[in-house]
């Protein structure tokens, strides 16, 4: 598959993922808003912070390194060895689940059983669900490597919706079950997720479509561990790269979930405050999950396939380098504009959004300040996602190892900054610490990208520069919407709220018009790559 074909398939993957996620997440969004009316803040804090942290830590440490190593390079490889390597995620997940489950049960503070019953059952269920999800890892990597566009999104969306529906039903009918409700829902989520992949490959393998694509796996038994005498069990080069990514993934998990580790192990917030923080965090990260994450995951595959790790730019195919630079510049511009729009407009509409979503429980107290700070964090998340996407896809093993030391220093610094800022600013301090952490990571990635292209004529970092007219429109929009919030929101009735929303819509329309006329290169990229598949269908 040529680089242009890879780009075409990657953009289809990103756009389809984003659109389908929006469709299914809107349903989930409504179901979660309904659940908030029936569950205490303490229950939400325990489930969404402590137990979800257990699950995400086990899954991340067991599989992240394998994913990054096994998705690098061409799909033309010895897939038997790769699949053997991927199955190591399961025993690794069992070990992490047992070890971390012991810590969660023996070393951490146990919640009051009167307010949050069945804590031990919750720990066991969330640890088990992580192991169940790892059973589908070979299927996931195979699907991603061959750019199966809708499988990942549909599988995740169906499992999330099933989880939310079961949670709503049990919360309404059996609220006294406590953590049993969320434990059953979590197990249902991972089981459906794995079953979707298994059932898809049972249907796909051996089909005419698989034969036409020369798919490297022909039977379901080929997706099981396979020991042969005429070859090594795993590709040791791939295994060494996995080990390098594993050391990095441990540190990256500390950075990604750092505030939850501080909450869990240092008890800087009670379970109720943790619940409010998590709700605001999830609400603020909607765009990151809808748009930024699909772009990051999809274009990591593109860069990993087009670029050669550890090879100088001059020694690679110049057409591929030109395309990678152009794509990187356009992606940076795209996420910068999306993130900046959220930062500017999110400040004036945070309190209104929280009041509509969760009522006074969220819109009073620290909720609005949290979401306003998170609007700035989304901008940094957007830029970091693309810069690190390129960085990790192009780094060689030695560079990955060196970056591990940077991540180690960042992890330690972040945890210290989180603790002190939380003592000073409460839960807002977590978001400020995340902004600090993300800024350092962006600076490192920008330095790497600048060095990567310095011997060439390409300057993809120009994607981070905006025209003066667009900057002016953003400033005016921010000032107008802030004044609108002061005079119209949020205790002056629904008519005033509607006028406030109208003011924001007009300012946003003016911003979009300015983007259309000033960022013609980006508009052309979006039109030719993300929208071309829909125009082709219409013709």
């Amino acid at each position: 598959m040529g680089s242009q074909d890879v780009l075409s398939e990657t953009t289809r993957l990103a756009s389809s993922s984003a659109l389908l996620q929006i469709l299914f997440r809107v349903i989930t969004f409504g179901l979660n808003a309904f659940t908030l009316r029936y569950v205490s803040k303490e229950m939400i804090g325990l489930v969404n912070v402590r137990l979800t942290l257990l699950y995400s830590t086990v899954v991340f440490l067991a599989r992240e390194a394998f994913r990054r190593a096994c998705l690098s390079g061409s799909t033309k490889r010895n897939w038997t060895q790769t699949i053997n390597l991927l199955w190591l995620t399961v025993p690794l997940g069992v070990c992490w689940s047992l070890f971390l489950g012991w810590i969660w049960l023996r070393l951490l503070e146990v919640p009051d059983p009167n307010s949050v019953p069945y804590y031990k059952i919750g720990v066991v269920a969330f640890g088990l669900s992580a192991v169940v999800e790892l059973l589908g890892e070979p299927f996931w990597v195979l699907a991603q490597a061959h750019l199966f566009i809708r499988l990942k999104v549909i599988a995740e969306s169906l499992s999330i919706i099933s989880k939310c529906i079961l949670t709503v039903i049990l919360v309404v009918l059996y609220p006294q079950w406590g953590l049993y409700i969320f434990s059953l829902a979590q197990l249902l989520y991972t089981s459906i997720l794995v079953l979707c992949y298994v059932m898809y490959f049972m249907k796909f393998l051996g089909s005419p479509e698989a034969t036409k694509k020369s798919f490297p796996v022909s039977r379901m038994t080929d997706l099981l561990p396979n020991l042969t005498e005429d070859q090594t069990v795993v590709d040791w080069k791939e295994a060494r790269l996995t080990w390098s990514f594993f050391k990095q993934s441990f540190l990256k998990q500390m950075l990604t979930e750092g505030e939850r580790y501080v909450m869990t192990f240092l008890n800087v917030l009670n379970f109720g405050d943790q619940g409010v923080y998590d709700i605001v965090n999830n609400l603020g990260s909607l765009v990151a999950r809808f748009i930024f994450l699909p772009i990051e995951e999809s274009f990591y595959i593109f860069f990993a396939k087009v670029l050669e790790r550890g090879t100088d730019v001059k020694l690679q195919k110049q057409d591929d380098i030109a395309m990678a630079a152009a794509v990187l510049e356009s992606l940076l511009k795209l996420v910068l504009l999306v993130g900046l729009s959220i930062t500017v407009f999110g400040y004036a509409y945070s309190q209104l959004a929280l009041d509509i979503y969760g009522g006074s429980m969220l819109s009073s107290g620290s909720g609005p300040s949290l979401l306003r700070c998170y609007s700035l964090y989304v901008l940094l998340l957007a830029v970091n996602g693309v810069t690190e996407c390129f960085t990790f896809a192009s780094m060689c093993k030695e560079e990955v190892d060196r970056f591990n030391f940077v991540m180690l220093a960042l992890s330690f610094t972040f945890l210290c900054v989180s603790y002190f800022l939380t003592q000073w600013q409460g839960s807002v301090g977590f978001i400020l610490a995340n902004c600090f952490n993300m800024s350092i990571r962006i600076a490192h990635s920008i330095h790497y990208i600048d060095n990567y292209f310095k011997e060439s004529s390409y300057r993809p970092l120009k994607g981070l520069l905006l025209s003066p007219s667009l900057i002016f429109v953003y400033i005016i929009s921010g000032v107008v919407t802030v004044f609108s919030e002061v005079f119209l929101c949020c205790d002056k009735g629904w008519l005033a709220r509607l006028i406030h929303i109208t003011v924001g819509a007009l300012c946003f329309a003016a911003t979009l018009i300015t983007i259309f006329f000033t960022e013609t290169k980006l508009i052309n990229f979006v039109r030719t790559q993300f929208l071309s598949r829909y125009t082709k269908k219409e013709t």
Side-chain angles (χ1 to χ4, degrees), residues 31 47-48 52 55 126 157-168 181-182 184-190 192:
L31 292 173
V47 172
N48 290 359
T52 301
Y55 158 78
F126 274 74
S157 300
L158 287 177
S159 54
I160 289 172
I161 289 178
S162 301
K163 173 184 175 180
C164 290
I165 291 175
L166 180 62
T167 301
V168 168
I181 297 171
F182 297 94
L184 291 172
Q186 180 67 19
L187 287 169
L188 177 69
Y189 163 77
T190 54
I192 291 179

Side-chain angles (χ1 to χ4, degrees), residues 230-520:
D230 57 340
Q231 65 180 10
T232 57
V233 177
V234 298
D235 183 341
W236 288 108
K237 180 180 178 181
E238 207 168 54
R240 285 189 293 269
L241 183 60
T242 302
W243 173 242
S244 296
F245 277 125
F246 175 77
K247 291 181 288 185
Q248 183 192 97
S249 66
F250 185 84
L251 301 173
K252 186 176 180 181
Q253 176 69 1
M254 292 294 294
L255 291 172
T256 304
E257 302 280 11
E259 72 274 11
R260 284 177 166 79
Y261 288 114
V262 174
M263 287 183 202
T264 299
F265 288 94
L266 299 181
N267 296 321
V268 293
L269 299 176
N270 58 44
F271 287 121
D273 290 338
Q274 290 180 28
V276 173
Y277 174 85
D278 185 75
I279 294 168
V280 173
N281 182 61
N282 287 334
L283 187 63
S285 63
L286 282 175
V287 176
R289 295 198 299 267
F290 285 163
I291 299 176
F292 302 146
L293 186 58
I295 288 176
E296 180 183 349
E297 289 181 345
S298 301
F299 281 92
Y300 173 82
I301 299 172
F302 165 73
F303 290 128
K305 289 179 179 295
V306 170
L307 302 174
E308 299 177 21
R309 289 185 183 272
T311 304
D312 190 86
V313 171
K314 292 182 178 179
L315 302 179
Q316 299 186 49
K317 294 179 180 179
Q318 291 307 299
D319 289 343
D320 290 349
I321 295 296
M323 180 176 294
V327 169
L328 178 58
E329 180 180 348
S330 296
L331 286 179
L332 287 173
K333 183 76 72 176
L334 175 63
V335 299
L336 177 66
L337 292 177
V338 174
L340 192 57
S341 298
I342 292 169
T343 301
V344 170
F345 292 96
Y347 186 90
Y349 291 88
S350 293
Q351 185 176 0
L352 179 60
L354 289 176
D355 192 62
I356 294 173
Y357 185 61
S360 60
M361 182 184 80
L362 297 181
S363 61
S364 60
S366 62
S369 298
L370 279 171
L371 193 54
R372 287 181 183 123
C373 290
Y374 206 97
S375 298
L376 172 62
Y377 180 52
V378 167
L379 171 61
L380 300 175
L381 268 177
V383 177
N384 180 73
V386 172
T387 54
E388 282 197 351
C389 161
F390 179 88
T391 300
F392 292 148
S394 57
M395 277 182 171
C396 64
K397 177 183 178 299
E398 290 73 20
E399 289 171 324
V400 172
D401 288 336
R402 286 197 298 270
F403 186 61
N404 288 337
F405 290 102
V406 177
M407 296 284 274
L408 178 62
L410 274 177
S411 300
F412 177 76
T413 304
F414 171 71
L415 294 176
C416 293
V417 171
S418 294
Y419 179 76
F420 288 112
L421 285 179
T422 306
Q423 297 294 318
W424 176 43
Q425 289 290 327
S427 53
V428 174
F430 282 120
I431 300 178
L432 296 177
N434 272 315
C435 291
F436 170 79
N437 160 47
M438 206 58 61
S439 299
I440 300 298
R441 288 168 65 176
I442 290 171
H444 177 273
S445 297
I446 287 176
H447 177 70
Y448 174 86
I449 293 169
D450 184 58
N451 283 339
Y452 189 87
F453 287 101
K454 69 179 180 180
E455 298 298 329
S456 70
S457 59
Y458 307 111
R459 297 294 178 264
L461 292 176
K462 289 191 296 184
L464 295 174
L465 303 177
L466 297 177
S467 66
S469 58
L470 184 55
I471 294 174
F472 177 76
V473 171
Y474 271 123
I475 293 174
I476 295 298
S477 297
V479 172
V480 170
T481 52
V482 166
F483 274 102
S484 174
E485 181 186 35
V486 171
F487 292 105
L488 298 172
C489 192
C490 289
D491 56 353
K492 297 177 176 61
W494 277 102
L495 179 60
R497 293 184 179 193
L498 290 174
I499 297 173
H500 179 48
I501 293 172
T502 303
V503 170
L506 292 174
C507 290
F508 186 64
T511 304
L512 289 179
I513 292 171
T514 307
I515 291 173
F516 185 81
F517 285 105
T518 58
E519 303 296 341
T520 54

Side-chain angles (χ1 to χ4, degrees), residues 84-95:
N84 287 341
L85 183 65
L86 287 169
W87 276 111
L88 293 177
T89 59
V90 177
L92 189 60
V94 171
C95 293

Side-chain angles (χ1 to χ4, degrees), residues 135-147:
L135 293 172
E137 197 58 22
F139 304 92
W140 187 94
V141 170
L142 198 61
Q144 284 291 98
H146 291 85
L147 302 175

Side-chain angles (χ1 to χ4, degrees), residues 1-273:
M1 184 182 289
S3 57
Q4 184 61 49
D5 295 329
V6 174
L7 175 60
S8 176
E9 288 297 310
T10 302
T11 50
R12 286 183 64 209
L13 177 61
S15 56
S16 296
S17 297
L19 290 173
L20 285 172
Q21 283 203 43
I22 289 173
L23 174 64
F24 286 110
R25 291 281 185 175
V26 164
I27 301 174
T28 307
F29 185 80
L31 292 173
N32 286 336
F34 178 81
T35 305
L36 287 177
R37 272 68 179 176
Y38 291 85
V39 180
S40 66
K41 293 188 294 185
E42 289 73 21
M43 180 73 76
I44 293 173
L46 185 68
V47 172
N48 290 359
V49 177
R50 181 178 289 191
L51 295 182
T52 301
L53 180 65
L54 170 63
Y55 158 78
S56 66
T57 302
V58 172
V59 168
F60 192 92
L61 294 180
R63 77 182 181 191
E64 179 67 13
F66 292 87
R67 284 187 170 186
R68 291 204 173 273
C70 295
L71 286 174
S72 300
S74 171
T75 56
K76 295 180 180 178
R77 63 175 74 193
N78 189 322
W79 277 101
T80 299
Q81 293 178 324
T82 299
I83 290 169
N84 287 341
L85 183 65
L86 287 169
W87 276 111
L88 293 177
T89 59
V90 177
L92 189 60
V94 171
C95 293
W96 278 118
S97 185
L98 292 173
F99 174 67
L100 294 174
W102 179 82
I103 292 176
W104 257 243
L105 288 172
R106 300 297 180 185
L107 301 184
L108 297 182
E109 175 193 1
V110 177
D112 181 5
N114 293 322
S115 59
V116 185
Y118 312 120
Y119 172 67
K120 292 183 179 180
I121 296 296
V123 171
V124 173
F126 274 74
L128 178 61
S129 71
V131 177
V132 171
E133 184 167 339
L134 293 171
L135 293 172
E137 197 58 22
F139 304 92
W140 187 94
V141 170
L142 198 61
Q144 284 291 98
H146 291 85
L147 302 175
F148 287 1
I149 295 173
R150 290 186 175 86
L151 173 59
K152 173 178 176 291
V153 180
I154 291 177
E156 290 184 356
S157 300
L158 287 177
S159 54
I160 289 172
I161 289 178
S162 301
K163 173 184 175 180
C164 290
I165 291 175
L166 180 62
T167 301
V168 168
I169 293 173
L170 294 180
V171 160
V172 173
L173 297 180
Y174 306 102
Q176 71 277 10
W177 283 14
L179 284 179
Y180 272 123
I181 297 171
F182 297 94
S183 300
L184 291 172
Q186 180 67 19
L187 287 169
L188 177 69
Y189 163 77
T190 54
S191 299
I192 291 179
L193 185 64
V194 174
L195 281 174
C196 285
Y197 279 96
V198 172
M199 292 174 64
Y200 177 86
F201 277 101
M202 286 179 64
K203 181 180 179 181
F204 176 76
L205 296 181
S207 67
E209 182 183 358
T211 305
K212 181 180 178 181
K213 291 183 176 181
S214 299
F215 200 72
V217 177
S218 58
R219 298 171 300 174
M220 285 296 292
T221 53
D222 294 335
L223 289 170
L224 298 175
N226 193 350
L227 306 180
T228 56
E229 297 180 357
D230 57 340
Q231 65 180 10
T232 57
V233 177
V234 298
D235 183 341
W236 288 108
K237 180 180 178 181
E238 207 168 54
R240 285 189 293 269
L241 183 60
T242 302
W243 173 242
S244 296
F245 277 125
F246 175 77
K247 291 181 288 185
Q248 183 192 97
S249 66
F250 185 84
L251 301 173
K252 186 176 180 181
Q253 176 69 1
M254 292 294 294
L255 291 172
T256 304
E257 302 280 11
E259 72 274 11
R260 284 177 166 79
Y261 288 114
V262 174
M263 287 183 202
T264 299
F265 288 94
L266 299 181
N267 296 321
V268 293
L269 299 176
N270 58 44
F271 287 121
D273 290 338

